[in-house]
């Protein structure tokens, strides 16, 4: 998927400031995969064995891992897509329908749980605690 689809799609976009993040699952961190990603993203790679190590059980990644992807998955599979085209259409539709207010609420809830005021940049917390 990375070589046959993802990298060719990147050529259609400006990726100067793009960071690639993947979890630390063993199947995602084969030497050939990590080498390919390092060649492509340099020091903008967050991954197990990458220049920026994947932070296991990191509180800054939890809202995405546990809420957003669960939410997206539940809607994508709600009508039990039977074809790849149907699945792709569902993914595009669900992602396009996510409103900024929902994402703001996720961050707001998360910051209140860890004791940050919503006006504080959560990224600074992440940088200091990863």
């Amino acid at each position: 998927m990375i070589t046959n689809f993802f990298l060719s799609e990147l050529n259609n976009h400006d990726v100067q400031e793009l960071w690639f993040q993947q979890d630390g699952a063993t199947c995602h961190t084969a030497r050939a995969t990590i080498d390919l990603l390092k060649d492509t993203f340099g020091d903008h790679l967050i991954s197990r064995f990458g220049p920026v190590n994947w932070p296991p059980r990191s509180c800054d990644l939890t809202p995405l891992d546990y809420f957003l992807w669960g939410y997206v998955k539940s809607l994508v599979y709600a009508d039990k897509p039977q074809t790849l085209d149907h699945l792709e259409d569902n993914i595009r539709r669900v992602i396009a329908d996510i409103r900024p207010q929902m994402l703001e609420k996720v961050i707001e809830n998360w910051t209140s749980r860890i004791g940050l005021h919503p006006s504080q940049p959560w990224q600074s917390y992440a940088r200091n605690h990863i």
Side-chain angles (χ1 to χ4, degrees):
M1 173 136 179
I2 291 173
T3 56
N4 294 334
F5 174 75
F6 182 68
L7 294 179
S8 63
E9 283 295 314
L10 282 181
N11 292 330
N12 299 325
H13 305 280
D14 179 22
V15 295
Q16 301 302 320
E17 294 299 318
L18 182 73
W19 282 77
F20 186 87
Q21 175 180 307
Q22 73 177 162
D23 63 21
T26 305
C27 59
H28 299 160
T29 57
R31 184 178 309 257
T33 302
I34 294 299
D35 289 346
L36 173 67
L37 293 173
K38 283 180 181 176
D39 288 344
T40 304
F41 298 100
D43 63 349
H44 284 199
L45 171 63
I46 302 170
S47 180
R48 190 170 168 217
F49 308 119
V52 178
N53 197 23
W54 172 265
R57 296 172 298 285
S58 173
C59 58
D60 64 310
L61 301 174
T62 300
L64 290 177
D65 272 356
Y66 295 103
F67 170 74
L68 185 59
W69 300 134
Y71 170 80
V72 167
K73 184 178 177 182
S74 71
L75 295 176
V76 164
Y77 288 100
D79 64 353
K80 298 179 177 29
Q82 299 296 309
T83 67
L84 185 56
D85 286 338
H86 187 184
L87 178 62
E88 289 175 355
D89 289 343
N90 283 2
I91 292 169
R92 284 188 182 94
R93 178 183 43 76
V94 169
I95 295 295
D97 287 347
I98 294 174
R99 299 289 172 240
Q101 296 83 359
M102 176 188 287
L103 300 176
E104 289 168 5
K105 190 68 173 171
V106 169
I107 296 302
E108 207 175 283
N109 288 337
W110 172 75
T111 55
S112 69
R113 280 198 327 259
I114 63 167
L116 285 178
H117 187 274
S119 66
Q120 292 176 297
W122 68 273
Q123 295 92 336
S124 66
Y125 178 89
R127 276 193 298 273
N128 293 327
H129 292 85
I130 294 179

